[in-house]
Amino acid sequence: MAAIARLGAAGFLCLVAASFGLAFCLPIYTDELGWKLVQARMHLDGGANLVLMPTCGTLGVPVPALLLPFRSLDSLLYERMTDPMFLRWIGTAVGVGGVLV
């Protein structure tokens, strides 16, 4: 029974590693970049979200106080949007961290 459990765990880890490897090689889509650009500029725009689509109403929306810690982390992580490999490494690290938890 223990051998079957070890085999299942090894198979699971192989699938996890293969899926992260495949995801690392897939393209980063433009809508993901666009949304992260809006989130990453919070520090640069004085703590507000600047929405670039005038159909959404007000162009500058303040970030709610409850979301400030999370948006600050987003801003710090994604300010380097000119480097897609940096984004891939962040995504891989977050995914691996989620599996380890």
Side-chain angles (χ1 to χ4, degrees), residues 10-70:
F12 172 75
L13 290 177
C14 287
L15 287 174
V16 166
S19 67
F20 281 127
L22 179 64
F24 190 79
C25 297
L26 291 174
I28 298 175
Y29 296 102
T30 57
D31 62 334
E32 296 168 8
L33 290 176
W35 181 247
K36 287 300 177 185
L37 278 172
V38 170
Q39 290 180 342
R41 291 191 49 88
M42 185 189 76
H43 287 131
L44 301 173
D45 295 332
N49 290 328
L50 292 185
V51 182
L52 302 176
M53 294 168 274
T55 58
C56 295
T58 307
L59 295 179
V61 179
V63 176
L66 182 64
L67 297 179
L68 275 175
F70 306 106

Side-chain angles (χ1 to χ4, degrees), residues 4 8 16 19-20 26 31 34 40 64 70 74 78 87 92 95 97 99-100:
I4 293 174
V16 166
S19 67
F20 281 127
L26 291 174
D31 62 334
F70 306 106
D74 267 345
Y78 295 107
L87 290 177
T92 302
V99 169
L100 293 178

